[in-house]
Each structure stands twice: as C-alpha cells, then as structure tokens.
Amino acid sequence: APTVLMGIAVPLAVQICQRGPRREGTTVGTVYAVNTVGAILGAFAAGFVLIPTVGLHKGLIAVVSLNILAGFLPLISEARPARRLVWAGAFVGVVALLFLAAPTTLFRGLYQKYQPTADILHYKEGKIANVVVYDFVKSGYKDLYLNAIEEASSRIWHVQLFKMLGILPVVVHPEPDNALMIAFGAGMSAGACVDEVEGLDCVDLNPDITGVAKVFTHENRDVINNPGLNMIVNDGRNALLLDQKQYSLIISDATNPKTFDSWTLYTQEFYELVKSRLKPGAVFGQWVVMPLPYDAMSILLNTFKSVFPHTSFWCIYGSSQCIMLGTPERLEIDYREFSDRLLPMLERVGFPEYGVEDADKFLSFMLLGEDELDRALDGFTKINTDDLPAAQFRIGGEVEGVKDFLKLLRHQTSILPYLTNLGAEEERVKGTLEVYRSLARRLTLGFLLNNTGEYREAEEVATLAGMTGDENVKSALRYDSERKRYFTRRVAAGVGDANDHNNLGYIYWQEGDHERAIEELERAVELNPDFANALANLARVYTDAGRYDEATATWFEARELSPTRNLLATSKRQLDIIHLLRKICYQPDSSALRASLAELLLAEGETVEAARATSVAAELSQGEPQLYFRLARLYENLELVDQALAAYETLAVLVPEDDRFRRAVENLDVLRQDPAAKQRWLNKNEIVFDAESSPDEHPSTCGEARKLWNDAPFEGKIGRENLERAAALYEESIEAKPDDLHAYADAARIYELLGDLDRAATFWRQGLEIMPGNRMAESNVRRLELLADGDDPEELIEIGQLFRANGDNDTAIEFFGRAVETDPESFQTWANLAAGLDEVGRHREAARAYERARALQPDSAAARVIEDRLQRLSEWLDNCKINGEEKSE
C-alpha cells in the first residue's frame, strides 16, 4: 500500500513542483514530503480501512486501481483540457472493467485449489483473517484454517485437547469464579469452560467468529449463544495490558507458537503479564503443539516454568496437542474429591462421546509433573523473551525437534505421585494408570516416529488390559468412533461414495466384524472398480475371514490395477502368508508352520501378530527352547514385561543349567513389581530415530524413479505415464552408474509391467554383463523369452517353474494350469500342477491333481513318490478343522 501511494504521489509532486518555484530545495523537499505523507496514509488506508472495510477481493481491486491511477495521472495532468476528460474516462472504464471481470469467488477458488479433495463448509474474507472451514470428506473430519494456518478440527484428539483445555484449569482450582480465555478458535475450549464458571471473557482479534462457531456447534456446545460468554474483540496481550481485571483462571487458546502472530504469547514477559492478572490461588493453562523446531519445546517449557514454577505438562497421546498448566502450588489432587467434581463435568461438556468417560482416563493425559520437568530441564537455561525469542523464527530443525521431545519423553510418569486419598481403589487406580502410561508412551512414540508398529503395540496392551475400546488407540489406527460416525452419516444421507464405504469397511475390519467389512468394501469396489486401496483392504479382510481363494484373486486384481513398487511387495508378502494359513488349515498342530508364519508377520512389520503366532508355535512345540527364547525376546521388544517374564520362567524350567534365563526372571520380576524400576528400564531401551540416514549410494534419479513408481492416486490406478517416466529415470540412473544392478532390475520390472517384454529382457541381459552368472537375471531372461512366444506345454511348464523360482507361486500355478489345458494327458503337466498347488497349501486341489498324474503313469517311479505324498495329504485332509477351503471350492 505505501508503494502504491508513493507511485501516485511522485507524479503529483513533480507536477506541483513544475508549476511552483524553480528552486531545487523546494522541489526536492516537496517530493519527499508528499512521498512521506503518502506512505503513511497508504499504510493506514490499506491496512486499517480499505481491506477491513470492503474485504480482500474488492480491496485488491482498489489497490490495483490505485496503481493504474498512478500511470494515468501524468497523462491526465499533461493533456490539454479537452483530452483530460477522455483520459479520466478511460481510467474509470478500466476500473469498472476490473470490478466486472474479476470473479467474486477468486480467493475462495484459491483456497479450494489448495485443498482439492475437501469441500468448503464456510468461507469468510474477514477484517482480520481469511476464514475457511474445510470438510475433508476423504479423511472424515472438518478443519478450521485462519489465513491458511490450521487451527482446530473435529478429529477426536483435537476435540479432546480443546475440551480438556477448557476444564482442566477449572477442575484443579478449588473454587473458580471468573475466567479469561485468549482466542476463540472453533469455540470448543470456551464451550467446555463457560458453564463451569460464573463468567467467561473471551478475547479474540478476529470478529468474524459466528460462522465458524455455527459449523462447530456440536463440538462447542453452541457456545456462541450461551449468555455466560462475553466476547471481546482485541489482541489477547493488549487486552491484558489495557484491563487490570483479575481472574481465577486464564486460558490461552491462541494458535501455535510457530506462527507470526502468536509468538508474543509464549514469552517470559507475557507470562509475567498473565501472572499479574491472576487472583491468589489462580490457575493458568496454555495450548502448545509438539514437536517444535530444534529445542523450542524445551525453551517454551523452561520459559513457562520460569514464571510458573509449579508446572505440569499434559499431552493428548497419539497427537501433537499439549497443555502447559501452571498452578499456585505443587499439583496435588485428592482423587475421590476430584472424581466427584469431574464426572458430572465430563457429561456436561460431552467428553464421553470423545473417549473420556472417567477420572482415570482424564488424568492419564499428564505426561510430566513438576518433579519430572525439573529433571528434564536440569541445566537447561534458554528462555524465550520479547527481545530474544529463541524459540521463534527458526527454519527447519524438524529432526532435532523430534529428538528434543524424545528426551522429555524419557522422564514420562503417570500422575500417581501427585494423587492422594485413593482409598479402597488404590490398587485398581495404580494398575489402570500404569496401563495408560504404557499406552501414552507407545502412542506418543508412534506419532513422533511415524511408526504404526507402536500403535499396534498399544492396541495389544489395551487388549491385554481389557481396554479394547480406548479411543486414542483406535484414533491412531484410524477406526475411532468419530470417524465411524462421520462416514456412517454420509452413507445414511445418501451422499456416500466409494471412499466412504472403503473407510467404513476398514473400520468394521478393525473392529473384527468381517461380514460388514466385506459388505462395505465390496460396495466401494462396485462404485469404483479402479479403487486399488479398497481392493487391498478387501483382500486383507478376505484373508482374516479365511476366504483365501477370494483373497488371492483380489490381491492379483489390485496389483494388476495399480502395480506400484510398494503394492507389489506387499501383495507378495500377503500371498505368502495366505499360503501358510492354507497349510495351517490342514495342519493346525504344526509348530513349524506357526513359527514360519511368525517370521513372515515379523517381516511385514506385524510384531504383535508375530508374537501371537510364536506363542502358539511354542505351546505346540511341547518345550522347544528356541521358540520360547524367540517369544521372550519378542515380548521384551514389545516391552510386555509380564508376558516376557512368563516365557523366561518356562525357559528356566526347560534349560535349568542356563543361568541367563534365571537372571532374566529375577530382573523382570523386579520390573513387574516396581513401576519406577520399569520406567528406568524403558528409558535404557534406545529409541532409534535417525532421519539423517546414510547417504544413498544410488544416483538421485534412482530415488525419483522409485517415488514415481509408487505415485498412484489414493482411489485409482497408477498412470502409464508414471511408469514410463520411472523407467526412463532408471535408464538415466544406469548411465550415471553403469554397475548398479538394482537399476537394471527395476527398469526391467517396469518394462514388463508396461508389456514391453523385449526391453525388459534387454535390461536383464545388461545386468548379466555387470554380474555374470547371476541366477535371477538368467532366470528372468529365459522367462521373458518364453513369455514372448511360448505356448506349448513344455514351455508353459518351464515358464511356471521360472515363476516359482522368483517366488511367485500363484502365477506359476496359472501357467501349470494352462499347460494342463493344452495337454491334459501329460503326466508331467499334472505333476507340476499338483506340486504347485501343494506348495501354496491348496492341498485338496493338489490331491486331485496328484491322483490324475498317478492315473496317467501308475507304474512309474514318480507315481510311487506321488503315492507317498497322497498318503500324507490324506492325513491332513482328514485333520482339517477349518472349512474355509471347502467353502472356497
């Protein structure tokens, strides 16, 4: 705006000076004076009058018009009087054209382009901020953005945080009367607090909150129409400076400290100002997010604690949402009194709907108490101040920020040391809070490290403790009640699409309702046959339901549709699991099969399932020490002390001469009985997080190619152009590093996917030149040559055998089957088909194929081998306890 006004002022000043005295000093002085006045007026007019009055859209056009006017003024001023009117009219015409031509939805359209998969529920070009509420229909939540910065959403952990921010200061204060809240946001914190105090003043710089409040009416309890709410339009810090009013509670719900307009609410001076407005015995709570860049989280905690020495730190585990709570004295909670006050409060604010139904769950969100913060920040001296905001204006540092929070997490505790008056419930409360402490640690680690395995471990801990309905665990694994309600509403309203049915199917699957999961996922595929993600989910549910034929066919359909690198690898592992599960149907008492299944599950990252399979294998083994040792180590890695202890106790009996197992029993028994010792043991377990991995030995084009190969739309198949571009990048990578066999192999695989078998074979041959004698390359060259024109039974059998050599047994069976169709009287074709079916666990079909082969050559040596195999198959078929195979056939 100052530039615009200066652009106008300069030509005017020149004209004035030309018509006035010709003294140089006057001319220069006038120009500077006009420019200075113009800059001041421009800044004021544009920033405080123009845009706040007419909005961003019209304000932008007005500013553009002023620029145009700057260009027209010299023309108008220098023109003859008769033409001045013409130039002035031309200017008016151009401006009028701008107002008529510029779309009124310009900025709304830009916000829509920013989030193309979301619907806009509310949009407002406000005086202070552009307000947008998105409906993320693919993910199942609505989200508030102010000036393109996310502020609040309907995700379960966001709602938990804001409701907790509203009532945590209330419930730890013995008798609060009035409260001040800085920032309204979506109104959830205000909605939770307003009925628990005599009056709530809420300060927000943005006056355009009504529309937002209405969108979040359910979450904020219609707070905008609550007579106890007193809205004040002002900056939060200025409001405190201008008003000497004292409060029992002050709650800061302002946006996170990384933003340009909120960092001043996280400095020592601000906290001193807050403290000066607190009544004796008052409480202060502030929202903060984690992790922050570098050591910013530690800086903010240290700054907060420098003013409020009795600080506790609360975290909605499994998310980024935290609260710093400052109390007048060391936090000490009378458990029974606290519970009596809290329970009706939870009901009033609607907390049970979001997974917080009792005091134990509510209290489980405390991550660090006063003592733990003292230890965590011992020796740390950095403070955030107005003139040296050490936690702000730093670019990058994400990895260091995660590591900083991991250091804090090492001091995690339950709230138990801060509770009194547990009474007869002491043992129950201790046990429950210890389970929650374990859940909190795992879910927080899972969030920080982006590790779904930690979430699965938390789910197992909850299951073992009888807490299968914990909403934070379910939220981390994307099947919480709020997501379920969201997608159910869309389907019930008749607007449900393939994505809605896919999400519902996934949720039912996680809940163990396979029948409804299959129904929803099949509907998703019916609505969108190209929905590769839904097909993959459906294949997994078919597997869990024992419908292995359908699972196998669906995996093939998914990878045919979208053969990304990741999906091909996943489908390979999942098909191998299906093969073992088929065999287990017929050999349920086989310890070896269960152990092999555990290894496959572990390779798939399913550590909890691997432990379960190993446990069954160990029980079936009738005392195999190696399996019990493997089970004990798995449970130790999962940090399940009781289960690891039981495995070591068994080992101590099985191998009494090995002192290692006796010592392990003694050590774990101490951990089981002493939570503090267990926490120290957990802290010794190294948390591996190194985003700065070792340098990639492959050229950068190789990484770009891998990325493109996996770049498929969530609801669709990978584009052929992506595969072609990925293959071309691999070729560039080969030129840069001709001895990189992986690039040759990947390029060959992609060209095979594209149907260019000749080029695929060429790359395998080139790979052989790099590594002569490589069996995989030789096998693939021969396979591709045969695929190009092989169609007689012997060639089909060889192709099948080559697929088997690659580990693709299901495709091998397909070619063995084609060989049988081509020559149904060949012993060799039937024998190969039988062996292939036998290998993947399709024993019933294998037995029929073996019988057919034996009938073709009843007196051969091979037939006698087949006879022995048929006898073993007969025993397994008689033993079959699961009828999934019969149902499939």
Side-chain angles (χ1 to χ4, degrees), residues 11 15 341 429 527 555 632 723 887:
Q15 294 302 309
R341 284 187 63 198
V429 173
L527 290 170
W555 275 120
L723 294 175
K887 287 170 66 177

Side-chain angles (χ1 to χ4, degrees), residues 298 376 402-412 687:
S298 293
V402 170
K403 290 180 178 178
D404 181 52
F405 201 88
L406 289 174
K407 291 178 184 177
L408 295 171
L409 188 61
R410 293 173 68 86
H411 297 274
Q412 177 203 5
I687 298 170

Side-chain angles (χ1 to χ4, degrees), residues 405-520:
F405 201 88
L406 289 174
K407 291 178 184 177
L408 295 171
L409 188 61
R410 293 173 68 86
H411 297 274
Q412 177 203 5
T413 187
S414 76
I415 200 171
L416 195 62
Y418 302 89
L419 298 182
T420 63
N421 194 22
L422 295 171
E425 293 189 276
E426 182 172 356
E427 289 306 313
R428 181 197 64 77
V429 173
K430 284 183 177 179
T432 302
L433 289 178
E434 175 57 22
V435 173
Y436 278 130
R437 186 209 57 78
S438 180
L439 294 183
R441 183 175 187 274
R442 294 167 197 275
L443 292 181
T444 303
L445 280 175
F447 170 76
L448 286 168
L449 307 179
N450 192 26
N451 184 354
T452 306
E454 294 284 352
Y455 298 154
R456 287 296 177 195
E457 291 176 24
E459 185 180 44
E460 178 71 357
V461 169
T463 300
L464 292 170
M467 298 179 181
T468 53
D470 186 86
E471 290 293 338
N472 292 78
V473 174
K474 291 164 65 177
S475 174
L477 291 167
R478 300 184 299 107
Y479 70 103
D480 56 87
S481 298
E482 181 58 26
R483 285 174 59 88
K484 186 175 182 179
R485 285 190 292 267
Y486 179 94
F487 293 114
T488 301
R489 284 195 299 266
R490 282 182 57 84
V491 170
V495 297
D497 58 13
N499 179 73
D500 297 310
H501 289 284
N502 174 57
N503 276 286
L504 277 178
Y506 173 85
I507 291 168
Y508 285 127
W509 171 38
Q510 295 300 304
E511 291 178 343
D513 191 342
H514 294 143
E515 186 176 341
R516 295 190 72 179
I518 289 171
E519 179 184 339
E520 294 292 343

Side-chain angles (χ1 to χ4, degrees), residues 4 50 54 57-67 99:
V4 172
L50 185 62
V54 302
H57 175 258
K58 292 180 180 178
L60 182 62
I61 295 175
V63 170
V64 171
S65 301
L66 290 175
N67 275 289
F99 273 94

Side-chain angles (χ1 to χ4, degrees), residues 75-298:
L75 296 172
I76 296 171
S77 62
E78 290 295 329
R80 293 191 297 271
R83 290 200 174 184
R84 288 181 183 176
L85 203 55
V86 175
W87 286 118
F91 167 71
V92 172
V94 170
V95 172
L97 183 64
L98 276 176
F99 273 94
L100 292 173
T104 57
T105 59
L106 173 63
F107 289 96
R108 183 187 178 108
L110 290 174
Y111 275 98
Q112 184 66 77
K113 186 177 181 180
Y114 174 63
Q115 296 289 357
T117 61
D119 296 335
I120 293 180
L121 296 176
H122 174 72
Y123 177 76
K124 173 77 173 178
E125 291 179 15
K127 295 182 178 181
I128 299 301
N130 263 27
V131 182
V132 185
V133 180
Y134 290 107
D135 186 3
F136 286 93
V137 294
K138 302 297 183 187
S139 303
Y141 63 93
K142 55 196 173 188
D143 208 341
L144 166 65
Y145 282 70
L146 297 179
N147 291 330
I149 297 172
E150 184 190 31
E151 299 291 344
S153 77
S154 62
R155 284 170 287 190
I156 196 164
W157 41 265
H158 244 158
V159 180
Q160 285 178 342
L161 178 282
F162 289 120
K163 287 184 180 293
M164 189 163 194
L165 184 62
I167 64 172
L168 175 60
V170 174
V171 77
V172 298
H173 191 294
E175 294 183 24
D177 47 21
N178 62 342
L180 170 69
M181 184 165 291
I182 298 173
F184 181 81
M188 288 182 266
S189 295
C193 182
V194 66
D195 289 328
E196 310 305 327
V197 292
E198 295 175 10
L200 175 64
D201 293 341
C202 185
V203 181
D204 199 301
L205 191 59
N206 180 21
D208 306 304
I209 64 168
T210 304
V212 174
K214 288 180 179 178
V215 175
F216 287 91
T217 295
H218 180 72
E219 291 82 4
N220 64 33
R221 319 298 285 177
D222 195 22
V223 66
I224 201 68
N225 293 314
N226 191 308
L229 178 69
N230 175 36
M231 287 301 306
I232 302 169
V233 179
N234 201 345
D235 170 79
R237 188 161 173 173
N238 285 340
L240 286 173
L241 286 167
L242 293 170
D243 194 339
Q244 300 295 316
K245 187 175 180 179
Q246 302 282 301
Y247 293 94
S248 293
L249 311 172
I250 295 181
I251 300 168
S252 179
D253 188 11
T255 189
N256 74 67
K258 291 186 291 185
T259 58
F260 73 94
D261 55 351
S262 286
W263 69 270
T264 57
L265 301 182
Y266 293 88
T267 66
Q268 192 175 51
E269 289 86 349
F270 172 69
Y271 294 144
E272 293 286 1
L273 176 61
V274 168
K275 191 172 185 178
S276 71
R277 300 296 185 265
L278 290 172
K279 295 177 179 179
V283 177
F284 174 50
Q286 184 174 38
W287 171 39
V288 67
V289 295
M290 69 87 176
L292 294 171
Y294 297 102
D295 56 355
M297 190 74 252
S298 293

Side-chain angles (χ1 to χ4, degrees), residues 563 718-728 731 747-757 759-760:
I718 187 170
R720 184 179 179 87
E721 62 279 3
N722 273 27
L723 294 175
E724 291 172 345
R725 179 59 183 149
E731 293 191 52
R749 291 188 182 105
I750 294 176
Y751 278 120
E752 184 175 352
L753 292 171
L754 290 168
D756 193 339
L757 302 184
R759 292 193 76 178

